[in-house]
Amino acid sequence: DQQVKQNSPSLSVQEGRISILNCDYTNSMFDYFLWYKKYPAEGPTFLISISSIKDKNEDGRFTVFLNKSAKHLSLHIVPSQPGDSAVYFCAATTLGTSYGKLTFGQGTILTVHP
Amino acid sequence: DTGVSQNPRHKITKRGQNVTFRCDPISEHNRLYWYRQTLGQGPEFLTYFQNEAQLEKSRLLSDRFSAERPKGSFSTLEIQRTEQGDSAMYLCASRSTMGGPGYTFGSGTRLTVV
């Protein structure tokens, strides 16, 4: 079963606008969430994370929002830049168990047009 | 910090052959993970090492797969009697116990079974 889902396979945004990438999860044991960015022929790169005790975490142009009741999180990129074009993966884990195993979504391809 | 190194970057093999991949984690990282990524999917957990001990294995890791991490340093992932369904990107990641839950991934080994 797909415990972490990214229902939008792709997203196209104009440079300077906001990009919003969404992620849903089903496992209520997940208590830590991460976003990774992946360029072709490279491994995923950690971007930003959030603990379930928070509902928002911000790092520069990147903000992650967590809605625990809806089991939903989103990544906002403002302003979007062409260099942000990549595949974005949402991942979840349960701290203190599972040895830090991450469960990933299917990914969303973000294209930022100049 | 030289990052996580994986070799080879690409491997093409005939069905039925054995292949071995190597991962050199960041030197101070005691936790090492193997993931597999197929087209259009996010990375899927295969196995986890803490130092030299293999502490968790996914059901995805059939009897044809074996992983080792001698002396808690580099790790190898061997696939015996390869099948076309084994074609995927094999990703290695590492992290420190004292660090955050985010991993550092290598660039991966792309396996093509023909």
Side-chain angles (χ1 to χ4, degrees):
Chain A
D1 65 339
Q2 192 77 30
Q3 297 186 67
V4 178
K5 295 183 183 180
Q6 294 175 255
N7 292 316
S8 298
S10 62
L11 176 67
S12 184
V13 170
Q14 206 69 28
E15 180 179 6
R17 296 291 190 93
I18 184 171
S19 296
I20 300 176
L21 296 101
N22 293 303
C23 177
D24 297 294
Y25 63 96
T26 57
N27 188 340
S28 56
M29 297 299 292
F30 289 146
D31 57 10
Y32 200 88
F33 305 89
L34 307 92
W35 284 93
Y36 279 82
K37 179 169 74 173
K38 185 180 184 303
Y39 293 118
E42 293 183 14
T45 303
F46 171 73
L47 197 55
I48 192 170
S49 62
I50 188 167
S51 165
S52 61
I53 63 174
K54 296 185 175 181
D55 54 19
K56 177 182 174 182
N57 188 28
E58 195 170 352
D59 183 1
R61 296 185 299 114
F62 302 91
T63 303
V64 56
F65 294 92
L66 175 63
N67 182 334
K68 288 192 296 293
S69 60
K71 292 192 176 67
H72 177 85
L73 62 155
S74 61
L75 174 68
H76 293 209
I77 306 173
V78 182
S80 301
Q81 300 173 354
D84 296 329
S85 298
V87 181
Y88 288 78
F89 292 101
C90 168
T93 189
T94 305
L95 296 179
T97 64
S98 74
Y99 304 110
K101 176 177 70 177
L102 296 181
T103 301
F104 284 85
Q106 309 96 307
T108 297
I109 301 170
L110 174 65
T111 304
V112 181
H113 298 282
Chain B
D1 180 355
T2 57
V4 177
S5 177
Q6 290 189 248
N7 289 289
R9 292 294 306 274
H10 304 275
K11 179 71 177 178
I12 300 175
T13 190
K14 291 184 178 179
R15 190 173 50 189
Q17 297 293 305
N18 298 345
V19 293
T20 300
F21 311 139
R22 176 177 171 126
C23 171
D24 288 274
I26 292 171
S27 58
E28 61 267 27
H29 286 184
N30 60 338
R31 297 189 175 194
L32 185 146
Y33 305 82
W34 284 98
Y35 281 76
R36 180 174 71 184
Q37 185 182 9
T38 53
L39 198 61
Q41 299 297 316
E44 295 174 292
F45 172 79
L46 292 179
T47 191
Y48 159 71
F49 288 87
Q50 181 157 326
N51 300 312
E52 66 276 9
Q54 186 175 21
L55 297 183
E56 191 170 355
K57 291 171 62 173
S58 164
R59 289 170 294 179
L60 292 175
L61 219 61
S62 75
D63 291 344
R64 296 184 298 103
F65 288 72
S66 63
E68 295 182 340
R69 192 182 182 197
K71 301 179 184 178
S73 55
F74 69 93
S75 176
T76 58
L77 178 67
E78 181 184 17
I79 309 174
Q80 296 182 326
R81 305 181 303 281
T82 52
E83 301 172 356
Q84 287 190 320
D86 297 331
S87 296
M89 173 74 82
Y90 290 84
L91 293 162
C92 176
S94 70
R95 61 176 275 235
S96 167
T97 302
M98 303 308 295
Y103 306 156
T104 301
F105 278 92
S107 297
T109 294
R110 178 161 297 284
L111 173 66
T112 303
V113 182
V114 297

